[in-house]
Amino acid sequence: MYPVLSPRLRTAPVGVWAIGLILLIQMAAVLWIGLPGQLSFDSIIQLYEGRMLKVISFNPPLMSLLLGLFDRLGSGPVGFVLLSSTMLLAASGLALAHAQRLSWWRWLLSAIILLNPVILLYTGIVWKDVLLAHAIVLAYFLVDHLHRREQPVGPLGISLTLLLLAVIIGARQQGILFAIPLAIWLALSARRSTALSLLLAAMFVALPYEANQLMQRLTHTAAQTEEPSANQTGLQVLMRYDLVGIAAHGGKLDPGLPGPVIAELSTVVPRYSPYRVDTIGNDSPGYFHLPLNSIRTYWWQTVSTYPKAYLLHRLDTFRILLGWGDVGQCVPLHYGTYGPVYAYGVNGDLLPKLGLVAGPGPLIIQISHFLDYAVASPLFMHGFYALVLLITAVVLYRRHSWVLLTLSLCSLAYLGSYALIGIACDFRYGYTLIVVTSLVTARVLLTHRQQP
């Protein structure tokens, strides 16, 4: 790390020791809390898929294959936690490495921010949202470092960033919001002509995207080709949630829907909740057998006829995700191993097949006490982090820190995407915003204006 330190910091032993101490505490804490890996329902499904090389869910194949690879090396969950914590450590190191301000109170405040207990607790959870967030901050801070050095990016930097781009694109569909701007900045760091830079940027997006498509094709067997795709099922679930939400906010179901479908949806309207789609269940066979194009048409007709009811429904779901609601209903944290786990196409509980035992984990009492107080604080309010990041983005703009400004705006756009597609208020959906806000704010505290 020493060669990337700012010239002033290289001559300041206090700064070097401060960086080392912060990173040491961060790594020790996440490993102590996180190992051997905290497994939720989805985590166990993905671990089973990776170990057995059998697809039993609509999850992206990236996580399952990654867990399967680590499983063959010793332990899927442990390998995930080590990878996740290493990416966070590297990104935090890059955030601190360009420090110019050496005031003790700035270092203390930066340490408090980087040791955010939400980040320390989440790093050990085997979730794609955690992997996505840490890949994003590492990729952007790496490209920011290359941009600051004003030297052409080498093969090693390109290769590492392409791997991170594959993770960003493969973890969640909205990862493309980060991937395209990042690819452009990476191409510009190559110091080539404008035309060649644009070509490189397109290639930097296309290669990771195609890698994920290849994984998708290889992991989905012929036996599942008759089942609807994950994208189709996701759209059906989203539009059904919107139709029920519109009806719950004073609108009416489109009369163009078949009578039996209207009856199905009408029966679940009283069960509607802005907290999550699960409350209305999936018992609408007539609806799910409609062609997707027909559902789109009915959905649009209903939204355009009752725009106020649609906006109220969407605002309700989004405000709760931002933290204005009962965060305790939004799965603020998972710790331990979930169980039992039953999945379609597999006989019996998955835990014995994986050699796992359900349980809350050794630190559950301490973590429960912490959550009792913290869940009602700004630590668990995405709206608070969004406000801090907006203020930080203004500072980044004034300092001409364009790469990190891009990261900040993309993070806000990512969170904002859930205003349109959110079907639950799960706290993990905004974890990327928390990590970005913490690292970017620490960087701002410790640096001066960047020269144009």
Side-chain angles (χ1 to χ4, degrees):
M1 184 186 298
Y2 188 82
V4 306
L5 297 177
S6 68
R8 182 180 177 185
L9 194 59
R10 294 179 194 174
T11 61
V14 174
V16 176
W17 278 104
I19 291 176
L21 182 60
I22 292 171
L23 297 182
L24 178 62
I25 294 174
Q26 182 191 75
M27 192 67 168
V30 298
L31 293 180
W32 178 60
I33 296 171
L35 288 175
Q38 316 309 314
L39 299 169
S40 69
F41 178 89
D42 285 343
S43 312
I44 293 166
I45 293 288
Q46 291 164 342
L47 178 60
Y48 179 86
E49 291 180 329
R51 182 177 294 185
M52 304 301 179
L53 294 178
K54 179 181 179 182
V55 178
I56 59 173
S57 72
F58 285 128
N59 288 306
L62 174 72
M63 273 288 292
S64 300
L65 292 176
L66 188 62
L67 288 173
L69 173 63
F70 286 136
D71 212 47
R72 285 157 179 77
L73 295 175
S75 170
V78 170
F80 179 91
V81 175
L82 292 177
L83 174 64
S84 177
S85 57
T86 299
M87 290 196 298
L88 175 64
L89 180 76
S92 301
L94 288 169
L96 296 173
H98 293 276
Q100 299 161 322
R101 298 178 182 268
L102 302 177
S103 304
W104 69 268
W105 67 268
R106 291 181 180 273
W107 280 103
L108 178 61
L109 186 55
S110 297
I112 293 172
I113 292 171
L114 289 177
L115 298 176
N116 183 335
V118 175
I119 297 176
L120 301 183
L121 288 167
Y122 262 69
T123 300
I125 306 177
V126 184
W127 277 343
K128 60 186 177 184
D129 302 274
V130 176
L131 183 71
L132 172 68
H134 295 178
I136 286 171
V137 289
L138 177 55
Y140 268 90
F141 274 94
L142 176 61
V143 172
D144 172 74
H145 170 66
L146 296 172
H147 187 69
R148 282 172 171 267
R149 288 176 60 189
E150 297 184 350
Q151 295 178 359
V153 59
L156 181 60
I158 291 177
S159 300
L160 177 57
T161 310
L162 283 175
L163 286 174
L164 294 170
L165 277 166
V167 172
I168 293 168
I169 292 173
R172 279 201 179 274
Q173 290 178 332
Q174 303 110 294
I176 199 70
L177 295 173
F178 295 95
I180 293 176
L182 177 63
I184 293 173
W185 280 117
L186 180 62
L188 291 175
S189 298
R191 306 291 175 182
R192 298 292 187 267
S193 65
T194 302
L196 184 55
S197 293
L198 291 174
L199 181 62
L200 286 173
M203 183 185 71
F204 292 153
V205 173
L207 288 177
Y209 176 80
E210 285 302 321
N212 278 282
Q213 290 299 303
L214 179 61
M215 284 189 283
Q216 189 84 21
R217 289 191 292 269
L218 291 176
T219 54
H220 283 74
T221 63
Q224 292 180 304
T225 55
E226 295 182 0
E227 296 291 329
S229 68
N231 289 338
Q232 177 177 331
T233 302
L235 282 173
Q236 288 176 321
V237 171
L238 171 62
M239 290 187 286
R240 177 173 176 262
Y241 187 49
D242 284 343
L243 291 172
V244 173
I246 288 170
H249 285 82
K252 294 182 179 180
L253 297 171
D254 180 25
L257 285 167
V261 174
I262 292 179
E264 287 177 354
L265 298 182
S266 298
T267 59
V268 300
V269 170
R271 303 206 304 261
Y272 166 83
S273 169
Y275 282 88
R276 62 186 58 254
V277 69
D278 299 1
T279 60
I280 64 176
N282 289 316
D283 50 345
S284 300
Y287 170 85
F288 285 106
H289 279 90
L290 291 174
L292 184 58
N293 287 337
S294 297
I295 295 177
R296 283 198 189 102
T297 300
Y298 298 138
W299 175 86
W300 174 245
Q301 289 174 348
T302 307
V303 169
S304 57
T305 304
Y306 302 102
K308 181 179 178 181
Y310 172 72
L311 289 175
L312 288 174
H313 153 63
R314 280 284 130 209
L315 285 173
D316 264 356
T317 60
F318 191 56
R319 73 171 173 80
I320 292 171
L321 178 63
L322 289 178
W324 284 280
D326 184 1
V327 180
Q329 296 188 46
C330 300
V331 195
L333 184 67
H334 174 80
Y335 193 74
T337 300
Y338 181 89
V341 175
Y342 297 97
Y344 178 78
V346 181
N347 294 323
D349 184 6
L350 294 186
L351 266 63
K353 302 178 189 299
L354 296 171
L356 300 173
V357 177
L363 300 177
I364 188 61
I365 295 177
Q366 295 90 327
I367 290 174
S368 296
H369 289 331
F370 166 76
L371 278 179
D372 289 341
Y373 296 98
V375 77
S377 74
L379 278 176
F380 282 87
M381 288 186 65
H382 294 312
F384 167 74
Y385 291 100
L387 178 61
V388 172
L389 192 57
L390 274 171
I391 296 171
T392 305
V394 174
V395 177
L396 292 170
Y397 173 78
R398 296 182 64 178
R399 292 185 179 181
H400 301 155
S401 186
W402 306 122
V403 177
L404 297 187
L405 175 61
T406 303
L407 170 62
S408 302
L409 296 178
C410 288
S411 300
L412 292 169
Y414 177 82
L415 182 70
S417 70
Y418 284 100
L420 297 177
I421 66 172
I423 59 174
C425 64
D426 288 5
F427 187 78
R428 62 192 173 104
Y429 296 156
Y431 178 69
T432 295
L433 178 77
I434 295 174
V435 178
V436 170
T437 302
S438 299
L439 268 66
V440 170
T441 304
R443 164 64 69 83
V444 166
L445 280 170
L446 295 172
T447 55
H448 297 289
R449 175 187 177 93
Q450 184 173 325
Q451 295 302 316

